[in-house]
């Protein structure tokens, strides 16, 4: 019934109790999980998991803070991985100016390179944007990312900008903050935007929803996010979940069944 479109089962924090994490999610009705890479190693791991489990799909990509010493080699490997059958997206890619491990120029180069790869392989993008709303938008627009669209991961921008993203064929990833008392921004987006453009994600092991903030997040908690989304939209949980299923299918296309 539920889909977690952004989960880091490839992160050491979740690998330790892997079977338990998976089983807990299946038990509450999570049907599909998209494991998202953030560097070359975790992208490989995402593909391995997708090959191993029917209900797992992979996204591969280099997160803006992880690209420091990457050369053509890493990008060639990324392209090989992205061409595998169960790889449904390029991600997570984008900008992150909260940390300073990489410069703005390095991040821009890596981002554009991966937008071009997504267009070449006709794969949607999963976009990470932290402290960079305007530049993320401008970069996606300038490089015609609307040709592939994708998901704005854990969308934290305004309703106005959300509408601009919809025009560029992006959907909005709704995550744990929608359950937070101070999560007004994300709540407003869910209320204002048609359910046809919303998807659910946990970003586990991060962004744990209420009432479990402070604990390690797991894909089972996607249920809490869909519950809150349904409440905000004034529809049933099953109706919200069905919308999300349709949206995910539309975004990921042929490589996702
Ligand atoms: Ni993530």
């Amino acid at each position: 019934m539920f889909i977690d479109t952004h989960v880091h089962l490839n992160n050491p924090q979740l690998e330790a109790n892997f079977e338990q994490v998976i089983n807990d999610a299946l038990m509450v009705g999570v049907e599909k999980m998209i494991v998202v890479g953030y560097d070359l190693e975790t992208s490989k791991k995402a593909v391995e998991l997708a090959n191993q489990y029917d209900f797992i799909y992979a996204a591969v990509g280099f997160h803006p803070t992880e690209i420091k010493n990457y050369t053509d080699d890493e990008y060639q490997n990324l392209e090989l991985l992205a061409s595998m059958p169960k790889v449904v997206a390029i991600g997570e890619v984008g900008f992150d100016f909260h940390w300073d491990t990489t410069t703005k120029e390095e991040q821009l180069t890596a981002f554009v390179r991966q937008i071009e790869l997504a267009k070449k392989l006709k794969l949607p993008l999963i976009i990470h944007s932290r402290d960079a709303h305007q530049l993320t938008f401008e970069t996606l627009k300038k490089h015609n990312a609307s040709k592939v669209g994708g998901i704005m991961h854990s969308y934290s921008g305004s309703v106005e900008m959300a509408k601009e993203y919809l025009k560029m064929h992006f959907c909005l990833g709704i995550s744990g903050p929608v359950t937070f008392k101070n999560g007004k921004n994300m709540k407003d987006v869910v209320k204002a935007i048609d359910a046809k453009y919303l998807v659910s994600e946990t970003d586990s092991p991060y962004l744990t929803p209420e009432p479990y903030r402070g604990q390690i997040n797991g894909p089972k908690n996607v249920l809490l996010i869909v519950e809150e989304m349904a409440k905000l939209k004034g529809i049933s949980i099953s109706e919200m979940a069905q919308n999300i299923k349709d949206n995910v299918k539309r975004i990921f296309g042929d490589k996702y069944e």
Side-chain angles (χ1 to χ4, degrees):
M1 178 169 193
F2 302 110
I3 303 174
D4 187 350
T5 62
H6 195 119
V7 55
H8 298 293
L9 296 172
N10 46 0
N11 181 294
Q13 283 196 70
L14 292 180
E15 274 176 316
N17 286 313
F18 187 76
E19 291 297 329
Q20 170 104 47
V21 168
I22 291 285
N23 286 332
D24 287 351
L26 296 175
M27 289 278 280
V28 300
V30 178
E31 281 175 8
K32 301 249 163 79
M33 305 174 214
I34 317 297
V35 175
V36 180
Y38 44 93
D39 58 13
L40 185 56
E41 278 318 300
T42 55
S43 293
K44 278 185 192 160
K45 184 75 195 174
V47 174
E48 273 170 38
L49 290 171
N51 288 337
Q52 209 175 335
Y53 296 91
D54 288 355
F55 50 86
I56 292 180
Y57 290 81
V60 297
F62 303 149
H63 186 284
T65 60
E66 306 301 314
I67 39 121
K68 192 71 190 170
N69 296 309
Y70 278 14
T71 62
D72 286 348
D73 261 11
E74 280 79 12
Y75 287 92
Q76 275 158 20
N77 273 306
L78 182 65
E79 182 162 352
L80 285 176
L81 287 172
S83 310
M84 309 283 275
K86 284 183 81 189
V87 176
V88 296
I90 298 293
E92 55 188 292
V93 300
F95 290 115
D96 193 321
F97 298 129
H98 181 75
W99 310 102
D100 58 2
T101 52
T102 47
T103 65
K104 183 175 165 183
E105 289 68 31
E106 288 168 330
Q107 292 193 19
L108 178 63
T109 304
F111 189 20
V112 170
R113 197 164 179 169
Q114 293 178 94
I115 295 171
E116 294 305 327
L117 178 63
K119 288 194 295 186
K120 180 178 170 187
L121 300 179
K122 298 190 166 60
L123 287 173
L125 288 153
I126 295 176
I127 305 296
H128 174 102
S129 173
R130 190 166 187 193
D131 301 343
H133 288 310
Q134 197 57 36
L135 185 60
T136 303
F137 180 74
E138 283 164 13
T139 305
L140 288 169
K141 189 147 190 110
K142 183 170 171 205
H143 296 276
N144 298 312
S146 62
K147 284 190 178 159
V148 290
I151 297 173
M152 298 308 298
H153 158 51
S154 194
Y155 181 72
S156 61
S158 66
V159 169
E160 291 69 42
M161 191 169 264
K163 289 177 180 165
E164 294 303 313
Y165 277 126
L166 305 193
K167 290 184 201 157
M168 289 166 64
H169 307 127
F170 279 86
C171 284
L172 310 169
I174 304 302
S175 55
V178 80
T179 67
F180 298 174
K181 278 206 186 66
N182 61 359
K184 187 178 177 305
N185 206 315
M186 203 180 263
K187 288 181 201 284
D188 286 347
V189 166
V190 172
K191 281 189 211 159
I193 301 295
D194 194 304
K196 285 200 309 235
Y197 304 105
L198 305 175
V199 299
S200 50
E201 53 168 59
T202 63
D203 200 24
S204 303
Y206 314 110
L207 292 182
T208 311
E210 290 288 4
Y212 303 119
R213 277 182 94 171
Q215 299 177 25
I216 292 180
N217 200 5
K220 67 174 181 191
N221 290 333
V222 79
L223 165 65
L224 300 169
I225 293 160
V226 178
E227 225 167 48
E228 183 65 23
M229 291 167 78
K231 202 169 98 189
L232 291 164
K233 294 234 73 79
I235 59 179
S236 68
I237 294 176
S238 63
E239 198 180 336
M240 190 66 236
Q242 187 58 48
N243 267 292
I244 293 168
K245 271 168 88 160
D246 296 343
N247 301 343
V248 171
K249 177 79 194 129
R250 194 178 70 239
I251 296 164
F252 293 134
D254 292 345
K255 287 172 95 180
Y256 177 89
E257 293 158 40

